[in-house]
């Protein structure tokens, strides 16, 4: 399995484990509070039914009426300012849920509006985030030169750290502003900013929902819209840095693996090019040269291409475990995979698979006869082995 597939599988498993751990923690933290809150609601509902004499059906109708009236507590929602607020929550995928289309035509238009608006908004935030990262990198580079640093380069780690600080500053600034205008605690305001800028949008805390805020507090409305758009751009820039960092690490790993694979293939091909190969009965050496590899047939075959008859004797040497030969002194070495040595003699003594080397200026052939007495000889046999034979004529080759 390739490295990207393994990485994807590991990420899927990590997300599943993360989800299971989150579910366990949320259950432990919220289950008891939910049970106690439900008991409290049931107790108060029973008191109201007893006090005002409501039946169960009348109480449910009253409860439904209160839920329908909740979006209208902040005044008219479908003014131009309220509609703009709703459009912002749609294309940014925040989706508070404080208001929603009631008519079928509004629901259909909302779907088509989101299909086009969401990708457009994501591309816009990505582009703005890249420009912001470029500007921050330029400022850091200029600052390093102003204070006299020798190395003014900005690493990815530095950019991630600066982006995190910008995100934290944006959250704190928004929390301070919304806690002032909405009357929330700083913690709840910070929680609202985080849920908004991460586009989670639970809707438990929604700005501009006090009575007639959308119609009368124009500066606050402008600040809220600007903060949401700018804050989403900052968060998008930071996420671009994190994702880019992850992609850079993944690309470096893949490039390293590919480089190792190419080096291994090159090493194997080089080893194969320097080894002797056998093609159509010819033993061939491939030697490295300046312009590539030479494929000169330095080890001759059995002269199977000669016109004259040929006789061969196969001699087995059981005590011979390894043989040393010289390619420029061989005439009839048969390239085979067995442990037998074939001695071939051609009638035509001019038959050689390497006539260029054999007929070169530095090469001459003199006829000679072996006249040894059973000892070793420096004269090469027709097959390049130092094997004496009293009854045969040998060819002695001499360089001039």
């Amino acid at each position: 399995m390739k490295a990207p597939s393994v990485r994807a599988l590991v990420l899927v498993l990590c997300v599943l484990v993360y989800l299971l751990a989150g579910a366990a923690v949320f259950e432990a933290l919220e289950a008891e509070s939910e049970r106690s809150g439900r008991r409290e609601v049931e107790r108060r509902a029973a008191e109201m039914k007893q006090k005002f004499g409501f039946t169960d059906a009348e109480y449910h109708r009253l409860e439904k009426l209160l839920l329908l009236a909740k979006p209208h507590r902040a005044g008219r929602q479908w003014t131009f300012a309220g509609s703009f607020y709703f459009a912002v929550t749609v294309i940014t995928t925040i989706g508070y849920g404080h208001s929603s289309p009631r008519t079928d035509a509004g629901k259909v238009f909302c779907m088509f509006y989101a299909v086009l608006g969401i990708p457009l908004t994501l591309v816009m935030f990505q582009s703005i985030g890249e420009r912001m990262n470029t500007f921050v990198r330029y400022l850091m580079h200029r600052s390093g030169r102003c204070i006299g640093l020798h190395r003014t380069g900005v690493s990815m780690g530095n950019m991630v750290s600066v982006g995190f600080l910008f995100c934290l500053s944006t959250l704190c600034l928004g929390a301070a502003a919304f806690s002032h205008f909405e009357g929330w605690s700083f913690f709840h305001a910070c929680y609202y900013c985080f849920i908004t800028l991460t586009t989670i949008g639970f809707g438990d805390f929604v700005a501009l929902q006090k009575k007639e805020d959308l119609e009368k507090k124009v500066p606050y409305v402008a600040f809220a819209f600007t903060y949401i758009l700018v804050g989403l751009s900052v968060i998008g820039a930071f996420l671009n840095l994190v994702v880019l960092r992850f992609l850079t690490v993944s690309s470096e790993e893949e490039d390293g693996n590919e480089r190792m694979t190419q080096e291994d293939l090159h090493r194997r091909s080089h080893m194969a090019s320097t080894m002797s190969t056998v093609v159509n009965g010819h033993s061939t050496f491939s030697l490295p040269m300046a312009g590539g590899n030479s494929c000169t047939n330095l080890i001759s075959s059995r002269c199977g291409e000669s016109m004259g008859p040929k006789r061969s004797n196969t001699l087995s040497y059981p005590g011979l475990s390894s043989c040393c030969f010289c390619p420029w002194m061989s005439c009839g070495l048969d390239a085979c995979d067995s442990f037998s040595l074939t001695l071939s003699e051609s009638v035509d003594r001019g038959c050689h698979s390497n006539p260029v080397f054999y007929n070169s200026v530095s090469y001459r052939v003199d006829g000679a006869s072996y006249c040894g007495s059973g000892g070793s000889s420096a004269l090469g046999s027709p097959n390049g082995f130092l094997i004496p034979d009293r009854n045969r004529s040998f060819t002695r080759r001499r360089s001039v």
Side-chain angles (χ1 to χ4, degrees):
M1 188 178 293
K2 295 184 179 180
S5 300
V6 174
R7 186 182 298 110
L9 182 60
V10 171
L11 289 175
V12 170
L13 293 177
C14 289
V15 170
L16 290 177
V17 172
Y18 195 73
L19 288 173
L20 295 174
V25 172
F26 284 125
E27 181 184 10
L29 295 176
E30 299 293 334
E32 182 61 31
S33 176
E34 181 189 23
R35 286 192 292 266
S36 62
R38 184 174 181 178
R39 288 194 297 265
E40 181 67 19
V41 169
E42 291 176 351
R43 184 182 65 82
R44 292 190 177 185
E47 291 179 356
M48 289 183 64
K49 290 178 183 179
Q50 184 179 3
K51 181 177 181 180
F52 298 101
F54 290 150
T55 62
D56 292 339
E58 292 174 344
Y59 179 78
H60 287 308
R61 284 197 298 269
L62 179 62
E63 189 177 36
K64 186 176 180 180
L65 180 61
L66 292 175
L67 291 175
L68 291 175
K70 182 179 180 180
H72 302 282
R73 289 183 301 176
R76 296 177 57 193
Q77 292 290 321
W78 293 109
T79 59
F80 183 80
S83 299
F84 187 84
Y85 193 19
F86 173 76
V88 169
T89 61
V90 169
I91 64 174
T92 58
T93 69
I94 296 175
Y96 289 129
H98 64 288
S99 62
S100 59
R102 298 296 180 183
T103 63
D104 293 339
K107 293 176 182 178
V108 171
F109 177 76
C110 180
M111 290 188 291
F112 284 101
Y113 186 75
V115 167
L116 181 61
I118 291 174
L120 180 63
T121 306
L122 292 178
V123 173
M124 181 198 70
F125 284 141
Q126 182 181 7
S127 179
I128 294 176
E130 291 177 354
R131 294 300 90 200
M132 292 176 65
N133 292 333
T134 303
F135 182 69
V136 170
R137 186 180 290 108
Y138 172 77
L139 290 180
M140 294 178 66
H141 177 72
R142 296 292 297 178
S143 300
R145 293 184 61 182
C146 291
I147 62 178
L149 293 179
H150 296 287
R151 295 182 179 180
T152 58
V154 181
S155 64
M156 184 62 67
N158 294 335
M159 290 296 298
V160 172
S161 301
V162 173
F164 178 76
L165 292 177
F166 269 99
C167 291
L168 191 61
S169 301
T170 304
L171 288 176
C172 293
L173 177 63
F178 286 111
S179 63
H180 172 72
F181 287 107
E182 296 290 340
W184 299 331
S185 65
F186 183 81
F187 172 75
H188 286 163
C190 186
Y191 169 78
Y192 162 77
C193 293
F194 180 83
I195 295 300
T196 299
L197 298 183
T198 54
T199 70
I200 297 174
F202 287 133
D204 50 350
F205 287 88
V206 181
L208 300 175
Q209 292 302 294
K210 287 184 178 180
K211 190 172 181 61
E212 297 181 352
D213 280 352
L214 287 171
E215 298 177 2
K216 295 183 178 180
K217 296 183 178 180
V218 178
Y220 176 46
V221 172
F223 168 79
F225 293 163
T226 304
Y227 175 80
I228 291 175
L229 296 176
V230 174
L232 288 174
S233 300
V234 173
I235 297 298
F238 176 70
L239 293 179
N240 278 339
L241 290 175
V242 174
V243 173
L244 181 61
R245 177 64 176 172
F246 176 77
L247 293 178
T248 302
V249 172
S250 302
S251 178
E252 290 176 355
E253 292 179 356
E254 293 178 1
D255 292 342
N257 295 333
E258 184 178 358
R259 193 180 304 110
M260 292 177 62
T261 303
Q262 292 178 355
E263 291 178 357
D264 186 58
L265 291 175
H266 178 71
R267 190 184 307 109
R268 291 183 180 180
S269 63
H270 179 71
M271 293 175 62
S273 65
T274 57
M275 293 177 64
S276 175
T277 59
V278 178
V279 180
N280 296 329
H282 294 272
S283 181
T284 306
F285 263 151
S286 297
L287 300 177
M289 298 181 66
N293 291 330
S294 68
C295 295
T296 305
N297 190 6
L298 297 180
I299 304 178
S300 60
S301 65
R302 291 181 299 177
C303 303
E305 300 171 355
S306 66
M307 299 299 296
K310 179 175 60 176
R311 59 188 178 92
S312 61
N313 299 323
T314 301
L315 302 179
S316 299
Y317 298 91
L320 185 62
S321 60
S322 62
C323 299
C324 299
F325 58 91
C326 299
W328 55 87
M329 295 180 64
S330 62
C331 175
L333 178 61
D334 184 18
C336 60
D337 295 332
S338 63
F339 291 97
S340 62
L341 304 176
T342 304
L343 303 178
S344 304
E345 181 182 11
S346 174
V347 175
D348 186 7
R349 293 300 181 89
C351 173
H352 293 279
S353 60
N354 188 13
V356 177
F357 183 76
Y358 188 83
N359 297 321
S360 61
V361 178
S362 62
Y363 201 84
R364 291 292 183 272
V365 178
D366 294 335
S369 299
Y370 177 75
C371 56
S373 59
S376 62
S377 173
L379 300 177
S381 67
N383 291 281
F385 295 97
L386 301 181
I387 304 173
D389 191 348
R390 295 177 181 275
N391 301 323
R392 293 192 57 183
S393 173
F394 289 85
T395 300
R396 177 169 61 84
R397 296 165 189 180
R398 181 180 60 189
S399 298
V400 294

